[in-house]
Amino acid sequence: MYSRIIGTGSYLPSRIVDNHELERMVDTSDEWIRTRTGIVQRHIAAEGEFTSDLAEAAARRAIDAAGIDPNEIDLIVVATTTPDLVFPSTATLVQHRLGIRGCPAFDIQAVCAGFMYALDIVDKYIRTGAAHNVLVIGAETFSRIIDWTDRNTCVLFGDGAGAMVIRADEEHGILSSHIHADGAYKELLWVPVGVSNGGAELEAGRAFTRMKGNEVFRWAVNAMSDIALDALKHNNMSVDEVDWVVPHQANVRIIHAIGKRLGVSPDKLVITVCDHGNTSAASVPLAFDVAVRDGRFKPGDVILLEGFGGGFTWGSVLLRY
Ligand code: ACO
């Protein structure tokens, strides 16, 4: 039994912040941001617009595309690092809004690799027969954990959500998933405060992302290249058999470096980071939905998904669409 994607959806908040607006906030330039990252603009959630709102909008689009009744969904998983509340989970908030009752719903947190972790878990539910129609969402309001006076980070991130409806299928679907973590690198990419060690910083609303950008860059390229090769080896496939690569959307230079290492031609790389910046767990399902809706993905295509995030955490999913 395979986990087959039968519908996708995405959502970006209406407010767009372009690089020129950032030029007025920190010592940066449109030219620097474009050449170092490829990012042109990001979408920022409105006041009072939360991760669950973005998640719900993307989920409704995915459910529409799948053509199923929400009540057919028997598992909801949300990958997020920026939940609305400490509890209950964002997944249960979305479940309630969709009018679904009783099915399991939970969040998972693996930062920018979160959607790979979610797909890995969902695939195991489907293969064991524990779930048949799963709603899986990556949603973030990362702007809420960004210091908008720190040019090292504020130019990189944005808000958004992407969703998939995944159904048990005998022919097409996820071929393999591989997820990893190494907690030794905590301080290269982190928010140094949280609920348990919160203190004054948290109370003052200063739970901000800190990052050593160039070290993260090197790690991201190495990890996502290695894991792609592992996925191909596991499936006894060559890189020529891959039709599309949907990498974590953090930086076009990272994406092109991975493409080069793997020997994948640039036109097989799905790149959307220019339009929305790094949306963390939402980035892969967002990019995936764009390529579904513009007709790039055809039934039977072999697609490689990859994520990399704080922790470090990283993972890949290889699927036949
Ligand atoms: N505008 C102008 N100058 C800047 C800016 C900015 N926004 N940010 C940094 N600089 C300066 C630095 O201060 C430095 O100046 P200096 O040489 O005078 O010290 C110079 O630019 C070069 O800095 P580097 O860090 O060496 O630049 P680099 O080419 O590595 O690009 C970047 C920086 C874009 C952050 C890159 O390292 C990167 O993309 N790293 C990966 C980040 C990432 O993907 N993070 C998310 C991972 S996923 C997750 O879990 C969230």
Side-chain angles (χ1 to χ4, degrees):
M1 199 56 84
Y2 292 103
S3 306
R4 181 175 196 173
I5 298 163
I6 59 162
T8 64
S10 57
Y11 175 79
L12 290 164
S14 58
R15 180 157 188 260
I16 293 173
V17 173
D18 66 14
N19 294 342
H20 297 292
E21 190 170 341
L22 290 180
E23 283 174 348
R24 297 192 290 275
M25 292 161 64
V26 289
D27 180 15
T28 190
S29 67
D30 175 52
E31 209 258 328
W32 191 96
I33 302 170
R34 280 178 195 251
T35 52
R36 298 292 181 115
T37 72
I39 298 166
V40 175
Q41 60 178 39
R42 66 287 297 142
H43 293 245
I44 303 296
E47 212 182 310
E49 188 177 32
F50 303 126
T51 295
S52 63
D53 300 309
L54 278 50
E56 180 191 353
R60 287 192 185 280
R61 290 174 183 174
I63 291 167
D64 274 358
I68 64 164
D69 185 296
N71 281 296
E72 290 178 60
I73 290 166
D74 52 11
L75 172 65
I76 300 172
V77 181
V78 176
T80 186
T81 304
T82 49
D84 291 27
L85 306 167
V86 173
F87 69 83
S89 68
T90 306
T92 60
L93 303 179
V94 173
Q95 180 197 41
H96 178 62
R97 304 244 197 102
L98 295 174
I100 305 169
R101 304 185 80 166
C103 79
F106 57 85
D107 291 359
I108 68 111
Q109 205 276 64
V111 207
C112 302
F115 203 77
M116 299 305 108
Y117 271 63
L119 287 181
D120 181 79
I121 293 164
V122 163
D123 187 46
K124 288 174 171 64
Y125 268 83
I126 287 188
R127 280 177 192 266
T128 57
H132 299 91
N133 288 304
V134 183
L135 175 62
V136 51
I137 305 169
E140 302 279 14
T141 44
F142 227 81
S143 63
R144 306 264 153 82
I145 50 168
I146 293 298
D147 176 354
W148 290 95
T149 64
D150 174 17
R151 71 175 185 175
N152 292 304
T153 51
C154 77
V155 301
L156 302 175
F157 294 94
D159 301 334
M164 294 178 177
V165 175
I166 298 188
R167 169 172 280 179
D169 186 283
E170 283 177 8
E171 286 173 18
H172 287 190
I174 293 178
L175 302 171
S176 68
S177 57
H178 295 88
I179 55 173
H180 298 277
D182 188 340
Y185 300 94
K186 174 179 82 181
E187 282 152 37
L188 295 185
L189 179 56
W190 65 331
V191 176
V193 294
V195 178
S196 181
N197 82 345
E201 289 288 299
L202 192 64
E203 271 170 33
R206 287 194 299 262
F208 295 142
T209 301
R210 301 290 176 213
M211 183 180 68
K212 296 208 169 71
N214 43 14
E215 289 178 60
V216 175
F217 189 108
R218 272 196 300 278
W219 242 94
V221 172
N222 289 336
M224 284 196 276
S225 305
D226 291 350
I227 204 170
L229 296 173
D230 288 349
L232 292 173
K233 194 168 163 202
H234 181 88
N235 290 283
N236 207 12
M237 278 185 177
S238 78
V239 76
D240 299 335
E241 291 170 82
V242 175
D243 296 293
W244 302 102
V245 181
V246 189
H248 174 44
Q249 305 291 315
N251 183 322
V252 285
R253 285 165 54 219
I254 294 179
I255 296 174
H256 284 302
I258 295 166
K260 215 167 164 188
R261 287 243 185 131
L262 296 177
V264 172
S265 75
D267 56 343
K268 288 185 174 182
L269 301 167
V270 177
I271 301 177
T272 58
V273 63
C274 321
D275 298 330
H276 52 65
N278 182 349
T279 57
S280 187
S283 94
V284 169
L286 253 168
F288 196 98
D289 183 51
V290 167
V292 166
R293 284 171 193 266
D294 69 20
R296 258 179 283 182
F297 294 169
K298 304 278 184 287
D301 279 357
V302 173
I303 307 174
L304 176 69
L305 316 182
E306 297 193 274
F308 179 85
F312 291 133
T313 52
W314 63 104
S316 72
V317 170
L318 190 71
L319 61 91
R320 191 177 298 281
Y321 184 60

